Amino acid sequence: MYIIHLRTPACIVDKLSRFITSVIKRNYRNDCYNKLSCHIVIWHIPVSKTELIRRPVILKVHSKYYKWVVATVVGFGVLTSTLDGSITNMALPFLAEEFNTDPSVIVWISISFLLASIGVILTLGSLGDSIGRKRVFLSGFIVFGIGLILAPLSRSLPFLFFGRTIQGIGQAMIVSNGNALLVQSFPDNQRGTALGIENAVVGVGLASGPSIAGLILENWDWQALFYFRAPFIIIFFVLGVIYLNKDGQNDSQFKFDIYGSITLFITMTCFLLSITFGRSYGWISPWTIIPFGIVPVSFALFVLAESKAKFPVLELNLFRSRLFSLANIANSLQFLSQGAIIILLPFFLLDARNLRPKTAGLILGTLPVVRLIVGPLAGWSADKVQSVKITTTGLVIMVFAYYFLGKIGLETHLGLLVLVLLIEGTGTSIFGPANNSAIMGSVPQRYLGTASGMIATVRQGSMATGIAISGTFYSLFLADKSNELASKGLSPELVARMSSSHGFQQVLNIMIITLIIATLVSLLRGKDTVKR
């Protein structure tokens, strides 16, 4: 049965009913018409003129198909998020030339986006739990779209940073409530499948971003990187307004946790600034020490605010669940190790192996492509098997992959390198959907937005930390090895290649320890629980 709910006057409904009937009769035989007509019902909902103007149309999809509509709309939101990072990073060299500035300055186009996003993700997830996830999610499309328009209009870097900050806030609104909308629309026994599909969408965004950016930059100006996404934002916003069901949250008693939101924003922003400045100015620079010193103070104030708030940004009682706590810790450690691959693999391919950028790009594309196949399968498995088995398996695969990556040198065949990267991508794709499903399933339904925001905060914060730590250790190992090899009278080119390879290998060895700890934490999480 397909039911079309229309908030319109009865006369319009009658006309629409006669029109649909005539179309069916013209295009189908009588026997098909009889079958089709009995499956289409137009249901008139009487409304006042004021209500009609306020919400003219609502289309409700049959419950059997509603979850796939949600998956489509949420999937596009996730795709927009993952595409943005890879597309914008590809444009940084062009933007440095456009604004005639140093790369160390232009990189703040990405940093400003991350600062805004990480600083408010958890707050916006909690806000969705209180006033409605659909409301916050779709508002994110509007805010992100405004940022897409403002950024290419920039004639100065501060205005461009402002546009990217607006985009970051919009992205946070989308990501923080996306998982919650997805999980609440799928039954519990299909939660892993839903998150596995989302994992595949992430792979599409990461894999296609550089190619799309390259195609656009070859034919148009950098502004087109922003403009071309605006129509899609509008289309999926409209689809979300029409098809997504309204949340049942009652916001009449809601009081925004202003103190918790401010202290959390200060904590996350200062933490990200400290690791960013640490890489740029050194770890003992005042630029690094001051924001890092603010972090524990603001975090303590955040915990104090949350313990007293009636509607906290982060419900601290959630951490009493061993599954919720340990799954988030394992998630953090896994993304910490992923930071090493993200930042160091390009250096290894370009500097140590002397590969052409096109070849290096194809090799880097193997990691997200694996998600397209393994992600949905891993999610489906998470619906059948306890998450502890799947997540631990994924982490063990990653440990072995990192070990073999650390053994790949200057003369190793590229085919073997691709094989090991495929194994690493498989481990990551196995771990992600099952772990996210366990986190989302460990909280009551009223906290799904909080759990979704927690996943996104841990992912982005841990990855940024891993990038900073890996970059620092890589520089130390690189300098030490360069001095050692230079004293042996080797050519500068060979010294640079061997030093880069050595730094890459040593950092991966450190990250193996991180992954082993993550594996042990995953084993201790216990059995899955459903509290909804």
Side-chain angles (χ1 to χ4, degrees):
M1 174 79 67
Y2 298 91
I3 302 177
I4 304 177
H5 296 254
L6 295 175
R7 304 172 73 94
T8 56
C11 60
I12 297 178
V13 173
D14 293 337
K15 291 180 180 179
L16 181 61
S17 179
R18 289 196 297 270
F19 172 73
I20 292 176
T21 301
S22 65
V23 171
I24 294 174
K25 284 184 175 180
R26 284 199 306 268
N27 291 280
Y28 296 93
R29 301 189 311 271
N30 288 334
D31 57 337
C32 293
Y33 162 69
N34 293 332
K35 292 179 182 179
L36 282 170
S37 60
C38 69
H39 286 281
I40 300 178
V41 176
I42 301 180
W43 187 3
H44 170 231
I45 304 176
V47 293
S48 66
K49 292 182 179 179
T50 304
E51 180 71 7
L52 174 61
I53 294 173
R54 188 175 68 86
R55 291 191 58 131
V57 179
I58 290 180
L59 296 182
K60 290 191 177 181
V61 183
H62 191 282
S63 58
K64 181 179 179 181
Y65 306 104
Y66 175 70
K67 59 187 178 183
W68 300 114
V69 174
V70 176
T72 301
V73 177
V74 171
F76 180 79
V78 173
L79 182 64
T80 299
S81 172
T82 52
L83 268 176
D84 188 84
S86 54
I87 284 178
T88 306
N89 290 339
M90 189 82 172
L92 292 181
F94 295 88
L95 292 170
E97 182 178 347
E98 174 76 15
F99 290 96
N100 192 26
T101 189
D102 189 80
S104 62
V105 176
I106 209 69
V107 75
W108 279 88
I109 292 174
S110 296
I111 295 175
S112 60
F113 179 90
L114 282 174
L115 283 174
S117 180
I118 295 178
V120 298
I121 279 183
L122 196 53
T123 299
L124 293 169
S126 176
L127 187 65
D129 287 337
S130 300
I131 68 172
R133 298 171 191 124
K134 174 184 175 179
R135 184 184 301 181
V136 178
F137 178 78
L138 293 180
S139 298
F141 279 88
I142 297 175
V143 175
F144 192 87
I146 292 173
L148 281 179
I149 295 172
L150 291 177
L153 293 176
S154 305
R155 292 296 177 265
S156 65
L157 277 178
F159 194 80
L160 180 55
F161 294 156
F162 174 72
R164 290 291 290 163
T165 300
I166 297 298
Q167 277 187 264
I169 295 173
Q171 187 249 15
M173 299 172 79
I174 295 171
V175 172
S176 61
N177 289 274
N179 278 345
L181 285 170
L182 200 61
V183 167
Q184 74 180 22
S185 64
F186 278 76
D188 287 335
N189 62 357
Q190 294 181 347
R191 184 175 59 237
T193 300
L195 295 172
I197 294 172
E198 183 197 44
N199 192 273
V201 173
V202 171
V204 172
L206 293 175
S208 60
S211 301
I212 293 174
L215 179 64
I216 291 174
L217 291 172
E218 278 188 14
N219 296 280
W220 297 282
D221 293 333
W222 63 270
Q223 289 91 340
L225 292 173
F226 298 92
Y227 285 140
F228 95 92
R229 287 176 283 168
F232 298 100
I233 291 289
I234 295 172
I235 290 171
F236 280 87
F237 170 76
V238 172
L239 290 176
V241 170
I242 294 175
Y243 287 108
L244 293 184
N245 293 339
K246 182 180 178 181
D247 294 284
Q249 285 85 350
N250 181 12
D251 60 348
S252 60
Q253 302 295 322
F254 175 67
K255 184 178 180 181
F256 187 67
D257 180 15
I258 184 68
Y259 297 110
S261 300
I262 291 174
T263 51
L264 176 63
F265 180 79
I266 293 173
T267 300
M268 297 304 299
T269 302
C270 287
F271 176 73
L272 189 59
L273 283 174
S274 64
I275 61 176
T276 302
F277 290 150
R279 292 181 57 202
S280 302
Y281 304 115
W283 294 99
I284 58 174
S285 166
W287 288 96
T288 305
I289 295 175
I290 292 175
F292 193 75
I294 294 174
V295 170
V297 177
S298 59
F299 180 72
L301 293 174
F302 168 71
V303 173
L304 180 63
E306 298 310 276
S307 64
K308 296 181 178 181
K310 185 177 181 180
F311 296 95
V313 170
L314 177 60
E315 177 55 65
L316 299 179
N317 288 329
L318 293 178
F319 290 97
R320 293 182 177 180
S321 166
R322 185 174 67 169
L323 177 60
F324 181 81
S325 300
L326 296 185
N328 274 296
I329 293 173
N331 208 27
S332 177
L333 293 171
Q334 187 267 155
F335 277 113
L336 193 74
S337 67
Q338 281 288 296
I341 297 291
I342 291 172
I343 190 173
L344 298 185
L345 189 56
F347 283 97
F348 176 74
L349 296 176
L350 296 172
D351 294 345
R353 296 298 300 256
N354 274 347
L355 298 179
R356 295 172 56 194
K358 183 178 180 180
T359 305
L362 291 174
I363 293 175
L364 289 170
T366 58
L367 288 171
V369 166
V370 176
R371 291 174 180 258
L372 294 174
I373 302 173
V374 180
L377 292 176
W380 176 83
S381 300
D383 294 328
K384 312 296 181 183
V385 184
Q386 288 287 320
S387 68
V388 62
K389 298 179 180 179
I390 300 175
T391 57
T392 304
T393 300
L395 289 170
V396 169
I397 291 174
M398 289 183 67
V399 169
F400 281 102
Y402 272 58
Y403 173 79
F404 287 112
L405 274 177
K407 300 297 180 182
I408 290 177
L410 300 180
E411 305 300 327
T412 307
H413 193 279
L414 286 180
L416 182 59
L417 171 61
V418 171
L419 176 62
V420 177
L421 288 176
L422 288 173
I423 295 173
E424 195 278 334
T426 300
T428 304
S429 301
I430 290 174
F431 172 83
N435 197 70
N436 290 347
S437 178
I439 293 172
M440 299 297 290
S442 68
V443 303
Q445 188 166 4
R446 66 181 182 275
Y447 293 123
L448 284 177
T450 301
S452 179
M454 189 72 182
I455 291 173
T457 301
V458 167
R459 177 180 66 245
Q460 295 193 17
S462 300
M463 194 171 290
T465 305
I467 288 173
I469 292 174
S470 300
T472 301
F473 278 110
Y474 175 77
S475 298
L476 293 174
F477 289 127
L478 180 71
D480 183 63
K481 192 66 175 179
S482 296
N483 293 332
E484 177 187 338
L485 295 175
S487 64
K488 296 181 179 180
L490 300 175
S491 66
E493 180 184 356
L494 185 58
V495 168
R497 292 184 61 197
M498 294 178 67
S499 300
S500 178
S501 177
H502 174 77
F504 176 70
Q505 293 169 342
Q506 294 304 310
V507 173
L508 288 183
N509 290 334
I510 294 174
M511 291 304 168
I512 287 175
I513 300 174
T514 303
L515 286 172
I516 291 174
I517 297 173
T519 304
L520 296 176
V521 170
S522 180
L523 282 170
L524 295 173
R525 70 173 60 199
K527 293 184 177 180
D528 298 342
T529 56
V530 178
K531 298 182 179 180
R532 294 196 297 281

